[in-house]
Amino acid sequence: MISDRQADTIPRPRLRHELLTNTVLLVAGGHFLLELFHQYLPVFFPLYRAEFGLTYGQIGMITLVGTTTMSLAQPLFGFFIDRFDARRIAALSVLWVGLIMAVLGFSGNYWVLLIGVALAGFGSAAFHPAGASVVTKATDEGKRGRAVSFFAVGGNIGSAGSPLLLAIGLGVLGLKGTVVLLPVVVLAAIWLVNGLGQESKVEREAHRQRQSRAGQGFLLGLVLITVVAMTRAWFQLSLTTYLPTLLEDRGFSVVYGGQMLFVLSLLIGVGSLFGGILSDRFGRWQVLLSSFALLGPAYWFFISSGGGVQFIYAGAIGFLLGCTYPTTVVVAQEVWPRGMAMASGLVMGLGWWPGGLGATFTGWVADQLTLDAALEGLVLAPVLGALLMAAFAVALHRRDRSSMATVGPSSAG
């Protein structure tokens, strides 16, 4: 057992800028690859629907299964991250997801597809708290917002490239075009395993010592920020799941739908970068409240318009969504400092799970009415997010006002 003094000096105060940058960039690169392998399903659905006659509800069920395994397992993985090698878990989970998604196009029926999506979800569930933990351990507290932003940007750029890359593969080879991922998966696994290496026992013990001395945390704040993440997931996953199908129903091609998703996801990445920077400068809840308040009108203009102007609105929606992602993760870590991996797993995992329920509900409404009507009703999600963030700000203000000492969690404001 090392002393508190040793825990403070190994390795955080001796972190060099080069070491910090390499670690964060490696994890961000892993996040990019994971989402590049994992986020092509929306452009895959129209082809699979035509081949096997799926309903909108069945498409939503596929999304629900994937998000359930990915989301509900994340807090559990987060609980064990501090007890095992987070670096190695992050690297191997990318390999797991990549191999499954590369052969998903060979699924001979709906049930095989469901099983493959579920198994890939477990790999994603392992990566996210592991990656967030590695980034947090390798970053000084004052730079945490920017570091988590880089982590988020990597994933969001991967999400942007996934439908674009697979739209080309699927366009040339049909459903079996998913195999184009296979060589990339092998190279990615070699790079990440060698680059991230292994976490030493001394580093894990030092991190546990620091967590043991952290404050008790703000439970109400953690609950509220997790529910806020749920509203974002409902909105984002429903939109990305049905957007290509909506555009196809309006007479556009599968490639056009992939291009729209690319713009949306690319701007989510840009927003993720600026969201972390802005939250370091202007405050966490201020950035979140502003983003959700603007998201509703931007989405209404998007769904009500047509043609090329939709790309502008899609970019605005993506930017605002991106601003919320790293900020919610950092807020969760700051309001619950004794279990940052667990908090990260809650906001990234449990907070993402209702997206699958929301996508299933949106699909059911589309089956009963029309897809246009179902997506018009989706505007309620960002409105609810804005109201919840207002409640978080009030609760945080009352909590800080009743406390004589300002501690880490208060920095969320």
Side-chain angles (χ1 to χ4, degrees):
M1 182 71 68
I2 63 176
S3 68
D4 288 354
R5 183 175 180 180
Q6 288 174 313
D8 287 334
T9 58
I10 304 175
R12 191 176 299 266
R14 299 292 301 273
L15 279 174
R16 300 184 301 273
H17 178 71
E18 181 182 0
L19 177 60
L20 173 63
T21 301
N22 286 344
T23 301
V24 172
L25 289 181
L26 275 168
V27 178
H31 199 186
F32 165 79
L33 291 165
L34 181 96
E35 303 301 351
L36 182 70
F37 302 151
H38 199 211
Q39 296 301 323
Y40 67 76
L41 285 176
V43 295
F44 180 81
F45 286 147
L47 293 178
Y48 207 86
R49 178 180 172 226
E51 182 74 18
F52 295 98
L54 303 186
T55 66
Y56 290 124
Q58 286 177 309
I59 293 175
M61 182 58 67
I62 295 171
T63 303
L64 174 61
V65 168
T67 54
T68 297
T69 56
M70 179 188 71
S71 303
L72 297 187
Q74 275 200 49
L76 181 61
F77 275 112
F79 178 79
F80 287 106
I81 287 301
D82 287 331
R83 295 162 175 79
F84 295 96
D85 190 343
R87 292 173 180 260
R88 188 50 52 89
I89 291 173
L92 293 180
S93 60
V94 174
L95 174 63
W96 173 268
V97 171
L99 290 176
I100 292 173
M101 298 304 289
V103 300
L104 204 62
F106 294 85
S107 303
N109 58 64
Y110 175 70
W111 298 107
V112 173
L113 178 63
L114 275 181
I115 293 172
V117 169
L119 292 175
F122 282 118
S124 182
F127 175 84
H128 284 89
S133 176
V134 172
V135 167
T136 299
K137 292 175 185 178
T139 307
D140 293 327
E141 186 174 351
K143 301 176 182 178
R144 189 173 294 155
R146 294 172 185 247
V148 176
S149 282
F150 278 107
F151 172 72
V153 165
N156 286 318
I157 295 177
S159 296
S162 185
L164 192 63
L165 173 63
L166 267 296
I168 297 173
L170 294 171
V172 174
L173 301 175
L175 289 175
K176 293 179 173 59
T178 59
V179 77
V180 300
L181 293 177
L182 196 55
V184 185
V185 171
V186 174
L187 294 175
I190 296 172
W191 176 63
L192 286 174
V193 169
N194 290 334
L196 285 176
Q198 295 185 2
E199 190 177 61
S200 70
K201 292 182 179 179
V202 174
E203 289 175 319
R204 290 198 298 273
E205 183 63 26
H207 181 65
R208 282 196 292 267
Q209 290 282 351
R210 285 188 293 269
Q211 284 189 309
S212 68
R213 299 194 305 275
Q216 289 297 319
F218 181 30
L219 181 58
L220 177 59
L222 181 62
V223 171
L224 284 173
I225 203 64
T226 301
V227 179
V228 167
M230 290 177 177
T231 66
R232 182 193 65 212
W234 170 25
F235 176 81
Q236 182 175 338
L237 199 54
S238 293
L239 178 59
T240 56
T241 296
Y242 296 107
L243 180 57
T245 305
L246 174 68
L247 294 174
E248 186 182 30
D249 289 347
R250 291 182 176 181
F252 296 99
S253 67
V254 173
V255 174
Y256 183 86
Q259 291 171 339
M260 186 68 75
L261 277 181
F262 173 75
V263 170
L264 178 68
S265 300
L266 180 64
L267 267 294
I268 288 176
V270 175
S272 295
L273 177 61
F274 282 94
I277 295 172
L278 291 172
S279 71
D280 282 341
R281 183 175 179 85
F282 298 108
R284 314 290 189 212
W285 71 260
Q286 290 89 339
V287 170
L288 287 172
L289 179 57
S290 300
S291 297
F292 278 106
L294 293 172
L295 189 56
Y299 176 69
W300 185 255
F301 284 122
F302 169 80
I303 204 67
S304 303
S305 64
V309 71
Q310 279 192 309
F311 282 97
I312 299 175
Y313 293 131
I317 291 168
F319 182 83
L320 293 169
L321 278 172
C323 284
T324 67
Y325 179 76
T327 313
T328 53
V329 174
V330 177
V331 169
Q333 292 177 339
E334 290 178 342
V335 299
W336 202 255
R338 295 196 66 174
M340 288 186 290
M342 173 70 78
S344 300
L346 283 171
V347 80
M348 292 188 295
L350 187 61
W352 188 248
W353 180 63
L357 290 175
T360 303
F361 176 74
T362 300
W364 179 82
V365 173
D367 287 332
Q368 303 304 310
L369 302 174
T370 65
L371 187 57
D372 280 275
L375 291 181
E376 285 175 2
L378 196 59
V379 73
L380 294 175
V383 172
L384 179 58
L387 293 175
L388 287 167
M389 277 313 308
F392 177 90
V394 171
L396 186 67
H397 176 70
R398 289 179 177 176
R399 183 245 190 183
D400 288 344
R401 189 173 57 182
S402 66
S403 176
M404 296 299 296
T406 301
V407 294
S410 66
S411 64

